[in-house]
Amino acid sequence: MSHESPQVDDARPGTLFLVGDVFAEFAHHEGVFTVSQLARQIRNGGFPDGAGEVRVSVGQGVSLFDVQFVRDTLARRGLSDRVVIDDQALHTRAGREIAHKHRPENVLISQPRPVGGDWYEADLLVDGDNEVMTDHVTGQHMQGMLATEAGRQMFIAVAEQYYLPPEAVGSSYFVIDSFATRYRNFLFPLPAVVRCHVLAHRTPHRTRMTFHCELSVSQGGSETAGMEVRFTAFDTQVSHAKETKAAQRSLQDGVALAAAAGAAEAAAPVRTEVRTS
């Protein structure tokens, strides 16, 4: 992996970046504020400076609740018309049915949108309370596992939204056959895009559909991670039957292995230690 510094100098004039408080280390860069830092600056009269309009681009770790907090703070000082907060992506977070997540903070992508042919893209949306974030934040970049999980959610959402028949949406079981990831650059808490290219898909049986996809996470025009995945979407009833049989076999194998270990231990000679003075 090449070690690149975050590119925050390419923003349009008058544009600042807002990131979650969990990324305070990254906010040491000029033009980047955490939610708490920006609110404090507004209350102290230090933001915005100058007379022009300021545009705030929402990065990672920021929720709609955080954005409303900043807007309320601006409104109390009569500054709402001076600051434009671009939070559009936060309003398009993928839903539970296509992202296969029960808690909204664990959904890492917006609703996928077609961009031509079998290509799709979505915004990366990392909540500060995401399950991957809660136990491991180091330095200025985000964990590579966030890119991998975003890719996983992306191919599921694309299949659900654009390829499965309507009656199968929300009731299919996804099984990964292979999933390879390559990391190219650090992923920072700035806006990023997740892309999916469906290379092939077919329906070998009415109860399943197979896919071959390439995915990427890009930031500032550069790819930070690339993935290749092959997976199958099964009818839920079929997959549950297969899973139950596999679980029973695994349990039987475990019992047999434990019994064999117990028999071997019982047959082992007992060592008697003789001490001499």
Side-chain angles (χ1 to χ4, degrees):
M1 178 195 295
S2 60
H3 293 190
E4 293 189 357
S5 299
Q7 298 177 355
V8 298
D9 298 329
D10 295 335
R12 289 170 293 177
T15 298
L16 301 172
F17 290 99
L18 182 66
V19 300
D21 287 351
V22 70
F23 297 117
E25 186 73 18
F26 183 76
H28 290 159
H29 292 274
E30 185 177 354
V32 182
F33 292 92
T34 67
V35 172
S36 294
Q37 288 171 349
L38 186 58
R40 185 164 55 249
Q41 288 270 57
I42 296 168
R43 287 194 297 264
N44 293 340
F47 181 89
D49 56 3
E53 181 182 89
V54 176
R55 188 174 188 85
V56 177
S57 181
V58 173
Q60 307 302 329
V62 180
S63 67
L64 285 171
F65 188 74
D66 292 329
V67 172
Q68 190 58 52
F69 169 58
V70 173
R71 286 200 169 109
D72 290 343
T73 307
L74 287 165
R76 282 193 292 271
R77 293 191 59 85
L79 297 170
S80 297
D81 59 343
R82 292 275 314 280
V83 180
V84 177
I85 303 177
D86 182 8
D87 65 342
Q88 181 179 359
L90 293 178
H91 292 273
T92 62
R93 192 180 295 272
R96 173 173 170 173
E97 189 174 56
I98 65 171
H100 289 210
K101 286 292 181 181
H102 290 270
R103 300 178 65 88
E105 64 268 24
N106 292 332
V107 176
L108 289 170
I109 59 171
S110 68
Q111 294 177 4
R113 48 192 180 268
V115 291
D118 289 311
W119 284 87
Y120 304 85
E121 66 177 31
D123 298 299
L124 180 68
L125 302 174
V126 179
D127 191 285
D129 291 326
N130 181 272
E131 58 190 342
V132 180
M133 292 285 299
T134 55
D135 195 39
H136 181 68
V137 178
T138 59
Q140 301 180 46
H141 69 282
M142 299 190 295
Q143 300 179 60
M145 284 305 299
L146 284 167
T148 301
E149 173 61 14
R152 190 191 71 85
Q153 292 182 21
M154 183 66 173
F155 72 70
I156 291 175
V158 166
E160 289 274 25
Q161 193 167 348
Y162 295 104
Y163 290 89
L164 295 184
E167 64 274 12
V169 174
S171 61
S172 294
Y173 194 91
F174 287 78
V175 175
I176 298 173
D177 300 307
S178 64
F179 194 1
T181 302
R182 59 188 181 276
Y183 296 103
R184 299 190 181 279
N185 294 301
F186 283 135
L187 179 63
F188 295 102
L190 295 169
V193 176
V194 186
R195 294 187 174 88
C196 176
H197 183 199
V198 180
L199 300 173
H201 64 94
R202 63 189 187 93
T203 308
H205 189 271
R206 61 179 179 81
T207 62
R208 63 185 183 272
M209 183 179 289
T210 63
F211 293 85
H212 179 200
C213 301
E214 286 184 342
L215 303 109
S216 66
V217 178
S218 299
Q219 189 169 72
S222 299
E223 183 178 289
T224 64
M227 290 148 271
E228 182 177 0
V229 61
R230 295 177 187 270
F231 65 97
T232 303
F234 285 94
D235 175 88
T236 301
Q237 291 184 344
V238 173
S239 66
H240 282 179
K242 290 179 176 291
E243 187 177 31
T244 298
K245 289 181 180 179
Q248 290 172 343
R249 285 196 301 268
S250 182
L251 180 60
Q252 291 168 358
D253 291 344
V255 170
L257 186 62
E265 184 178 348
V270 178
R271 292 186 178 181
T272 303
E273 185 175 334
V274 179
R275 298 189 176 210
T276 57
S277 56

